Amino acid sequence: MEIELISFDLCPFVQRAVIMLREKQIPFAIQYIDLQQPPAWFLEISPTGKVPLLRWNGEVLFESAVICEFLNESYPPSLHPDSALARAKHRAYVEFSSFLLGVQYAASLAKTAEEYTKQRAVLQQELAKLEVHLNEVAHFDGYEFCLVDVAFAPLFMRLALLDQAAPENSLSSLPKMAAWSARLLAMPSVQASVIPEFKARYFSHFKAGGSYFAGA
Ligand SMILES: N[C@@H](CCC(=O)N[C@@H](CS)C(=O)NCC(=O)O)C(=O)O
């Protein structure tokens, strides 16, 4: 069985797939591509031109949430709750995490202090909405690692980097989320889901692009 993840080293969506593969202890290869100049072979097999792509036994899968669901179904035990209702809620929160990643990305791209402050306020507002509903993800009674964790860990890793760079703490007024983030960021599968020099690479990438938070 050949499993290969086509990746970009800073991509949070790729990171979800890596966490999933590591949690399930599935052996895999990873190939990084330059998204600015994607190779022709990649564009030929990728319907969207985006990473991650999972090559699995000669087949190609795209979309990180789908890749995670596929790996979850194919390699038991499942990281989904038993009830259809709980599973539906978890999937909704996975969707919400993708939206939040977009908001966080917009803040990362801001080029001025003013724009950054504005985008951070939007992000904060969205995180506060989530805090209110966090119990629905069922983590605070009978904790079990699940697909919602997989989806949110990359967001928390990036929030921690934004917080380091700016005199702000996005989770200080959100105690449930702060506890959740700390637990996820301490997990070996999460820590091993990025390249060892991730932090430096993240800052230098955004600094080169003129991002305020990275000190450009
Ligand atoms: N919905 C997609 C989003 C993937 C995505 O946006 N990947 C970015 C890198 S983080 C990408 O490949 N961008 C290249 C492009 O848009 O051309 C998923 O969850 O897999």
Side-chain angles (χ1 to χ4, degrees):
M1 169 81 58
E2 290 215 354
I3 302 179
E4 185 181 36
L5 198 58
I6 313 301
S7 312
F8 172 63
D9 57 3
L10 299 178
C11 176
F13 302 101
V14 164
Q15 202 182 340
R16 291 173 168 178
V18 176
I19 295 170
M20 199 65 193
L21 288 158
R22 293 210 181 280
E23 270 299 313
K24 298 264 183 182
Q25 301 186 350
I26 305 166
F28 67 100
I30 189 159
Q31 181 174 176
Y32 297 102
I33 61 163
D34 179 356
L35 282 180
Q36 299 301 319
Q37 291 180 320
W41 63 260
F42 169 74
L43 295 175
E44 267 165 37
I45 60 171
S46 167
T48 60
K50 294 182 183 194
V51 291
L53 280 192
L54 185 76
R55 280 176 147 154
W56 188 89
N57 211 15
E59 298 285 345
V60 175
L61 285 177
F62 64 107
E63 284 298 326
S64 60
V66 174
I67 291 171
C68 288
E69 291 272 0
F70 171 75
L71 292 171
N72 189 49
E73 280 184 23
S74 306
Y75 299 86
S78 175
L79 301 183
H80 257 322
D82 289 338
S83 96
L85 180 64
R87 276 200 303 281
K89 287 189 177 188
H90 278 214
R91 289 183 177 123
Y93 282 99
V94 168
E95 190 73 28
F96 191 26
S97 77
S98 298
F99 165 72
L100 287 172
L101 275 168
V103 181
Q104 180 270 330
Y105 188 59
S108 312
L109 290 180
K111 294 207 170 18
T112 62
E114 192 188 2
E115 179 64 12
Y116 181 71
T117 307
K118 195 173 123 202
Q119 294 295 348
R120 281 302 298 251
V122 175
L123 179 58
Q124 206 58 34
Q125 222 172 29
E126 296 300 332
L127 291 172
K129 284 186 204 164
L130 177 62
E131 176 82 1
V132 174
H133 295 280
L134 217 50
N135 283 339
E136 283 209 298
V137 194
H139 276 170
F140 300 99
D141 43 353
Y143 175 72
E144 274 182 43
F145 190 75
C146 67
L147 283 165
V148 185
D149 294 301
V150 174
F152 272 86
L155 173 72
F156 289 139
M157 197 175 270
R158 284 155 185 76
L159 284 182
L161 292 181
L162 287 193
D163 283 351
Q164 246 179 50
E168 297 186 40
N169 183 344
S170 22
L171 303 184
S172 60
S173 58
L174 308 172
K176 283 191 244 167
M177 213 178 306
W180 186 25
S181 167
R183 183 164 53 204
L184 291 185
L185 295 184
M187 290 191 63
S189 61
V190 172
Q191 290 177 357
S193 62
V194 289
I195 53 170
E197 62 280 18
F198 179 74
K199 184 176 153 187
R201 167 91 176 96
Y202 193 80
F203 278 102
S204 67
H205 172 83
F206 283 99
K207 189 170 180 176
S211 290
Y212 170 78
F213 90 94

